[in-house]
Amino acid sequence: MKYIKTLSDLSKVTDHLIQASISLHIQKLEREYIEPYQATLHGWFVICEDDSDLIQTFPQLSFSLSEKLSSGEVEYVDKKPDWYEVYIMLNDNEGILVYVPTEILERYKIKQI
């Protein structure tokens, strides 16, 4: 699992389409809030890289993506050609946008999606 909490973290993203998507989301946040991107204010990004990432608890949080999907506690799920974007609210302004490759969800067979 990769965590993107700073602009410099984008360099760790090997999938150029996901990297571009995250960059676009960050640009939108910066325009909307008229300030530089800060994960603790605007939320952060997670990229799932293998099946176990679905059940792994997020660092410093008490839940996994699988738990949130199973309980229906996600704000939205957006299907893209090669991945899903799953948004989880943490508080009034901070959330996590999780990128999950389609093949991982298909193997895991989460029926809520």
Side-chain angles (χ1 to χ4, degrees):
M1 206 177 302
K2 284 195 174 104
Y3 303 94
I4 310 303
K5 294 185 176 186
T6 67
L7 288 173
S8 63
D9 289 340
L10 277 174
S11 65
K12 294 188 268 181
V13 180
T14 56
D15 184 311
H16 296 294
L17 293 175
I18 290 177
Q19 184 184 57
S21 176
I22 292 172
S23 180
L24 183 63
H25 282 293
I26 289 173
Q27 289 172 17
K28 287 179 185 177
L29 288 167
E30 289 178 331
R31 279 194 307 272
E32 183 178 338
Y33 292 101
I34 312 169
E35 63 185 10
Y37 168 72
Q38 297 175 59
T40 56
L41 293 176
H42 307 117
W44 38 287
F45 305 88
V46 175
I47 302 168
C48 292
E49 298 176 300
D50 59 51
D51 295 16
S52 64
D53 291 345
L54 297 175
I55 57 173
Q56 181 179 341
T57 303
F58 293 113
Q60 302 166 342
L61 298 172
S62 61
F63 59 84
S64 68
L65 177 59
S66 176
E67 290 173 78
K68 288 293 187 180
L69 287 168
S70 296
S71 65
E73 297 178 30
V74 296
E75 295 300 312
Y76 71 83
V77 177
D78 190 13
K79 181 163 181 3
K80 302 295 183 181
D82 297 323
W83 67 80
Y84 286 88
E85 293 179 8
V86 181
Y87 187 69
I88 302 168
M89 285 295 294
L90 299 177
N91 56 44
D92 289 341
N93 59 343
E94 184 182 4
I96 307 170
L97 184 58
V98 185
Y99 288 77
V100 186
T102 304
E103 65 271 7
I104 290 175
L105 280 181
E106 288 174 356
R107 281 194 302 268
Y108 195 72
K109 299 188 187 326
I110 295 178
K111 295 182 176 55
Q112 286 79 8
I113 300 256

